[in-house]
Amino acid sequence: MSAPGRKPVIAGNWKLFKTSAEAAAMLRDLRPRVSMIHDVEIVVCPPFTAIAAAAQALAGSNVQVGGQDLYWESQGAFTGEVSGPMLAELGCRWVVVGHSERRQLFGETDEAVHRKLVAAIAAGLSPIACVGETLAEREAGRTLEVVGRQIQGALGGLSGDQMKRLVVAYEPVWAIGTGKVATPAQAEEVHAAIRARAAELHGAAVAGALRILYGGSVKPDNVKELMAQEDVDGALVGGASLQAESFAAIVRWRG
Ligand code: 13P
C-alpha cells in the first residue's frame, strides 16, 4: 500500500478510442460513480481531439484530464505535434510520456522521453513517465537492467523540484492489452527497483515521495492485490478505463 504522502493515482489511458461525443457521454456516467472518492487522484487521458469535451464534461468534478503525449517544443514548424502549453490551456493537468506504444510504434527514444518530461513540467503538467520490458527481455532475465536504463534516461538530470511533479508508470509490454497481468510480486519487485534507482539518482527523500503506478491488464478483479503492494502507488489503466462502470470499480478498489 502506498506510503503516507504518496496519494494514489488511478489514470485511464484511452489510447485511440472515443470521439468527443463518446468521451462526454462516458464521463457524465463516470462522475457520480466516483464523486465520493477524495483520497485518490483520478485522471482520464482521452485522445487530443476529445480533451476539450472531456474537460467541459468534468468541470467542477474530482476527475482530472490528461493528454497521451506531447512535443517538447512549445510551438514551431512541427506538423502534427501538440505542445504542453496547448494541453494546459485545455485544462489538462497530466500527460502520459514514453508509453511503450510510442516507443515501439513511433520510435520514441529515452532521450525524446526525457525532453518531453522536461517540457511537460515546464508547462505546468504532471507527466506520467512510462517504462517497461518486453517479453523477450523478461525471459532473458534483463527486466531490471532494461527498466533501470529507461529510468536513468528519463529521470537522470531532472532536479528535485522537477521530480516532485512527475509520476512513473511501470508497464510490462507483455501485460499490455493481453489480459496477462503481472503478479503482485512481479510488480512489486520492479517497483522497488525503480524506487531504488530513483534514490540513487535523486536521493532517498525524493524517491520515497515518488509515486509509481502499475499498468498492464489492470481490471476491477485484480487491482486490489496490486494496490496492496508496498511500492505500488496507483494504476495506469487501458481497456478497463473505457467504460464508466469498470473504471469506477478500479478507482474504488478499497471497496
Ligand atoms: P491495458 O490495461 O489495456 O492492458 O493497457 C495498459 C496500458 O497500456 C495503459 O497505458
Side-chain angles (χ1 to χ4, degrees):
M1 178 59 71
S2 204
R6 300 203 301 259
K7 187 172 182 181
V9 180
I10 303 288
N13 173 12
W14 288 2
K15 309 191 181 184
L16 186 52
F17 291 100
K18 295 194 193 293
T19 64
S20 292
E22 289 164 349
M26 184 281 197
L27 294 170
R28 278 195 296 270
D29 187 2
L30 179 69
R31 269 183 82 147
R33 294 175 188 267
V34 298
S35 60
M36 72 302 287
I37 305 291
H38 295 291
D39 50 3
V40 177
E41 292 207 66
I42 310 167
V43 183
V44 293
C45 301
F48 291 139
T49 50
I51 286 174
Q56 197 179 6
L58 292 171
S61 82
N62 58 334
V63 182
Q64 306 172 67
V65 184
Q68 296 176 16
D69 185 26
L70 81 167
Y71 192 58
W72 57 75
E73 297 289 349
S74 298
Q75 57 180 29
F78 305 106
T79 301
E81 295 296 316
V82 169
S83 71
M86 292 172 179
L87 294 176
E89 186 204 26
L90 292 183
C92 286
R93 306 264 302 275
W94 297 82
V95 63
V96 177
V97 175
H99 191 279
S100 64
E101 288 151 16
R102 300 238 36 104
R103 293 178 188 259
Q104 292 199 320
L105 304 175
F106 303 99
E108 236 169 65
T109 61
D110 287 336
E111 194 204 335
V113 171
H114 178 78
R115 295 176 80 164
K116 290 181 174 192
L117 293 175
V118 171
I121 294 164
L125 301 168
S126 288
I128 301 173
C130 301
V131 298
E133 82 287 3
T134 63
L135 182 60
E137 288 162 346
R138 175 162 282 267
E139 287 178 342
R142 295 181 50 221
T143 297
L144 299 186
E145 170 209 325
V146 168
V147 171
R149 189 203 71 224
Q150 291 170 335
I151 288 291
Q152 164 85 45
L155 310 189
L158 295 182
S159 69
D161 279 345
Q162 286 173 314
M163 285 295 297
K164 282 185 199 149
R165 297 288 307 285
L166 166 153
V167 309
V168 168
Y170 167 56
E171 298 206 308
V173 176
W174 48 271
I176 294 177
T178 59
K180 281 187 207 152
V181 63
T183 66
Q186 283 174 325
E188 174 59 22
E189 181 194 21
V190 181
H191 282 229
I194 289 170
R195 200 176 303 286
R197 194 79 192 89
E200 285 166 18
L201 292 167
H202 297 289
V206 167
L210 175 67
R211 291 175 293 180
I212 306 174
L213 320 185
Y214 169 80
S217 297
V218 175
K219 308 287 177 213
D221 64 1
N222 61 28
V223 61
K224 194 169 182 168
E225 56 182 9
L226 289 161
M227 290 301 295
Q229 301 302 305
E230 187 175 339
D231 288 293
V232 176
D233 306 308
L236 183 56
V237 186
S241 73
L242 294 171
Q243 278 85 40
E245 186 177 5
S246 53
F247 190 57
I250 292 171
V251 167
R252 300 171 62 170
W253 85 90
R254 291 188 176 103

